[in-house]
Amino acid sequence: MAYILNIETATTNCSVSLSKDGEILVLKEDNSAGYSHAETLHVYINDVFNDAKLNRKDVDAIAVSKGPGSYTGLRIGVSSAKGLSYALNKPLISVDTLESLAHQVKIDDGHIVPMLDARRMEVYSAIYNHKHQLYSEIKAEVLTENSYNKLLENGKVYFIGNGVEKTKNLINHPNAYYIEGKLPSANEMALLSDIKYKKSDIEDVAYFEPYYLKDFVIIKKKS
């Protein structure tokens, strides 16, 4: 029996869950306040423990969404997860953000493309098959009207995430299905973190860093 605290902050959705053997006990999340993770994350962590009537020392591991995603959001989530892992002497587990997002789509055939907005016409994306197995590596891609052409010609493709809005304006194909309004959540993390826990697939707390995919770029204001 394993209790795991799951933390997801890769996008505007500040999401925290407590799970037992891969099943959600308590989920607390909110996307309405934008990037307010610094103010709300630890409040949500306290809330899920209180609602589950558990103490922090009762958890067996701390899991965090590792990216790609928002630089600031990932820093806050990973820093908090590492702090809890160290203070409680519990293993740290990292979960691929796009893999977790892909698990929101349940299909019998075709492919799933989770995608997160990466400014302008770029997205962070990957491709998974209907069994949620990685089909094409995670990458930063500039979208064009020809993106995913070969994949779309071979069957249905389900796009999900906050990169969907600009994708649907570019790609008009009968095999393209757009799932709007969805963001990575600590809900889907529960199953993935439990699988990793059972395999002892854990991170080195001292050296673990978020998977940014691209270097952080500061854009100077125009004078």
Side-chain angles (χ1 to χ4, degrees), residues 4 8 11 29 63 68 73 93 105 107 118 155 170 176 183 189 195 197:
I4 300 178
E8 166 58 71
T11 65
E29 62 183 357
I93 297 168
V105 184
I107 56 175
L170 273 178
L183 292 173
M189 283 183 67
I195 291 171
Y197 177 79

Side-chain angles (χ1 to χ4, degrees), residues 18-222:
L18 263 174
S19 59
K20 176 184 176 183
D21 296 332
E23 298 290 334
I24 294 292
L25 296 177
V26 182
L27 173 68
K28 179 82 174 182
E29 62 183 357
D30 183 28
N31 179 41
S32 63
Y35 287 104
S36 60
H37 306 334
E39 294 79 22
T40 58
L41 178 57
H42 286 280
V43 175
Y44 288 0
I45 291 172
N46 288 333
D47 286 348
V48 296
F49 277 109
N50 290 335
D51 290 349
K53 295 180 172 55
L54 290 174
N55 191 285
R56 294 188 181 203
K57 65 182 181 181
D58 294 326
V59 297
D60 296 283
I62 310 296
V64 65
S65 179
K66 73 176 184 179
S70 156
Y71 182 91
T72 303
L74 289 171
R75 290 300 300 177
I76 293 170
V78 169
S79 295
S80 298
K82 289 174 69 172
L84 287 166
S85 177
Y86 180 80
L88 298 172
N89 194 26
K90 303 294 183 179
L92 177 68
I93 297 168
S94 70
V95 174
D96 290 311
T97 304
L98 293 175
E99 181 182 5
S100 177
L101 179 58
H103 273 262
Q104 293 189 28
V105 184
K106 311 296 181 185
I107 56 175
D108 295 323
D109 59 69
H111 290 87
I112 305 164
V113 180
M115 48 173 49
L116 298 178
D117 193 357
R119 299 192 304 267
R120 299 185 179 90
M121 291 310 297
E122 192 171 23
V123 294
Y124 301 131
S125 66
I127 302 172
Y128 294 85
N129 66 19
H130 67 283
K131 295 181 179 179
H132 300 107
Q133 297 166 329
L134 188 63
Y135 176 83
S136 180
E137 65 181 357
I138 297 171
K139 61 183 179 179
E141 178 181 14
V142 177
L143 294 171
T144 72
E145 60 184 11
N146 296 316
S147 297
Y148 307 104
N149 265 0
K150 291 183 179 179
L151 197 65
L152 288 162
E153 290 300 325
N154 290 324
K156 297 177 181 178
V157 181
Y158 298 82
F159 297 92
I160 185 172
N162 62 4
V164 161
E165 185 174 353
K166 56 189 176 185
T167 306
K168 70 176 184 178
N169 291 329
L170 273 178
I171 301 173
N172 182 18
H173 193 283
N175 279 336
Y177 294 83
Y178 296 106
I179 303 169
E180 300 182 64
K182 299 294 185 180
L183 292 173
S185 169
N187 187 59
E188 285 71 34
M189 283 183 67
L191 175 63
L192 300 175
S193 62
D194 187 65
I195 291 171
K196 283 198 162 189
Y197 177 79
K198 289 173 178 175
K199 292 180 179 178
S200 296
D201 186 356
I202 62 176
E203 304 291 344
D204 186 318
V205 176
Y207 296 102
F208 176 71
E209 291 292 333
Y211 179 43
Y212 295 120
L213 193 57
K214 293 199 310 179
D215 293 333
F216 180 58
V217 178
I218 298 175
I219 300 175
K220 293 182 179 180
K221 291 183 178 180
K222 294 180 180 180

